[in-house]
């Protein structure tokens, strides 16, 4: 299995809702990423997990809460979002070897709309 | 500051014409550079990376450290090459910085 899967594909939520985005990979990758992509813009890194530990948090507001329950799963918990948080949320994974970068494999994304 | 610049938002060429998508980077160390591509309604995927020096789908890219460039080239564009192309810079570790992207449109 060489794919990163993401659920749901689309999500519409109100500003008071709590929802979660899910990401899964079975390539044995030990680094997993969350990106935010606004329309016609490049992906912006939000979080990176390495060996299930949070390695990078790009000063993301606390209304976004990542979780890595095991080496294959990555969640993004959402609470009290703002309309400007509407975007495509991409998950990616890669190998993890200190000091070197590897290609990232991206999921198809979850299109989030906050009303 | 580390930065990736793709000066063209849109590049339109005729089928069979050569194409060059420009990418310049700003980084004082030894960079690792990538080109990612996103075809319509498909996920973002790696096209090529400079360390492998390979040709994928007829595309090549050479790292020019003197000019801090990593331009993507193809001698004869095909309609199926129409997509969004992102140049990306990794400086070691997990952070990859993406350029703003260039939309390539290949006309029949």
């Amino acid at each position: 299995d060489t794919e990163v899967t993401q659920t749901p594909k689309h999500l519409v939520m109100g500003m008071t809702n709590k929802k979660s985005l899910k990401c899964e990979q079975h390539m044995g990758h030990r680094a997993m990423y969350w990106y935010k992509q606004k329309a016609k813009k490049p992906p912006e890194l939000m979080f990176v997990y390495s060996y299930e530990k949070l390695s990078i948090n790009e000063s993301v507001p606390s209304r976004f809460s990542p979780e890595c329950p095991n080496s294959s799963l990555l969640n993004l918990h959402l609470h009290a979002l703002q309309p400007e948080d509407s975007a495509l949320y991409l998950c990616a994974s890669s190998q993890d070897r200190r000091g070197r970068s590897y290609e990232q494999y991206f999921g198809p994304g979850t299109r989030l709309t906050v009303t | 500051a580390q930065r990736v610049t793709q000066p063209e938002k849109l590049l339109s060429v005729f089928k069979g014409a050569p194409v060059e998508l420009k990418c310049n980077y700003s980084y004082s160390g030894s960079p690792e550079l990538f080109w990612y591509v996103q075809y319509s309604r498909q996920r973002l995927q790696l096209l090529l990376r400079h360390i492998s020096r390979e040709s994928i789908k007829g595309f090549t890219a050479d790292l020019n450290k003197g000019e801090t460039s990593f331009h993507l080239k193809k001698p004869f564009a095909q309609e199926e090459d129409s997509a969004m192309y992102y140049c990306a810079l990794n400086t070691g570790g997990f952070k990859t910085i993406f350029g703003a992207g260039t939309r390539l449109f290949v006309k029949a």
Side-chain angles (χ1 to χ4, degrees), chain A residues 3-5 31 33 35 37 40-43 45 48-50 55-56 58 88 90 94-96 98-104 106-108, chain B residues 6 9 32-34 36 38 42-47 49 51 54 84 86-87 89-101 103:
Chain A
E3 274 203 348
V4 176
T5 59
Y33 310 69
Y35 286 89
Q37 187 176 25
K40 299 185 181 180
K41 297 289 186 184
L45 184 64
V48 181
Y49 273 83
S50 170
S55 179
I56 294 178
E58 289 288 270
L88 182 68
L90 298 172
S94 75
Q95 296 179 38
D96 176 3
R98 295 289 179 263
R100 292 197 58 187
S101 63
Y102 288 85
E103 66 178 279
Q104 293 180 46
F106 284 85
Chain B
Q6 292 180 251
K9 282 188 177 179
E32 289 197 53
L33 285 147
F34 303 81
Y36 282 84
Q38 191 164 29
Q42 292 189 28
R43 65 187 67 196
L44 193 60
Q45 58 187 288
L46 181 72
L47 180 63
R49 50 186 161 177
I51 57 172
E54 56 194 343
M84 191 72 173
Y86 291 101
C87 182
L89 165 69
N90 186 288
T91 57
F94 299 117
K95 278 196 182 182
T96 294
I97 301 165
F98 287 85
R103 181 162 295 283

Side-chain angles (χ1 to χ4, degrees), chain B residues 15-42:
Chain B
K15 176 182 171 182
V19 63
E20 182 180 51
L21 287 77
K22 292 187 177 4
C23 173
N24 287 91
Y25 66 91
S26 174
Y27 178 56
S28 56
S30 291
E32 289 197 53
L33 285 147
F34 303 81
W35 277 99
Y36 282 84
V37 61
Q38 191 164 29
Y39 300 102
S40 179
R41 288 185 290 277
Q42 292 189 28

Side-chain angles (χ1 to χ4, degrees), chain A residues 46-66:
Chain A
M46 299 174 72
F47 303 103
V48 181
Y49 273 83
S50 170
Y51 286 84
E52 295 104 76
K53 287 189 170 51
L54 185 64
S55 179
I56 294 178
N57 176 341
E58 289 288 270
S59 303
V60 179
S62 59
R63 56 186 184 268
F64 295 91
S65 175

Side-chain angles (χ1 to χ4, degrees), chain A residues 25-95:
Chain A
Q25 57 88 14
H26 295 287
M27 293 179 278
H29 290 167
R30 302 310 296 268
M32 295 186 76
Y33 310 69
W34 279 115
Y35 286 89
K36 175 182 179 180
Q37 187 176 25
K38 300 284 265 185
K40 299 185 181 180
K41 297 289 186 184
E44 296 175 32
L45 184 64
M46 299 174 72
F47 303 103
V48 181
Y49 273 83
S50 170
Y51 286 84
E52 295 104 76
K53 287 189 170 51
L54 185 64
S55 179
I56 294 178
N57 176 341
E58 289 288 270
S59 303
V60 179
S62 59
R63 56 186 184 268
F64 295 91
S65 175
E67 178 197 20
C68 190
N70 61 53
S71 59
S72 300
L73 292 174
L74 186 66
N75 298 321
L76 186 62
H77 302 298
L78 314 172
H79 175 53
L81 295 193
Q82 303 297 310
E84 59 264 29
D85 297 323
S86 298
L88 182 68
Y89 288 84
L90 298 172
C91 175
S93 70
S94 75
Q95 296 179 38

Side-chain angles (χ1 to χ4, degrees), chain B residues 35-79:
Chain B
W35 277 99
Y36 282 84
V37 61
Q38 191 164 29
Y39 300 102
S40 179
R41 288 185 290 277
Q42 292 189 28
R43 65 187 67 196
L44 193 60
Q45 58 187 288
L46 181 72
L47 180 63
L48 52 79
R49 50 186 161 177
H50 88 272
I51 57 172
S52 57
R53 299 186 63 81
E54 56 194 343
S55 172
I56 304 291
K57 299 185 179 182
F59 284 98
T60 59
D62 290 318
L63 177 61
N64 185 322
K65 290 188 177 181
E67 296 183 358
T68 60
S69 68
F70 188 56
H71 302 327
L72 183 68
K73 299 177 185 178
K74 184 169 182 176
F76 308 103
Q78 303 298 313
E79 288 180 77

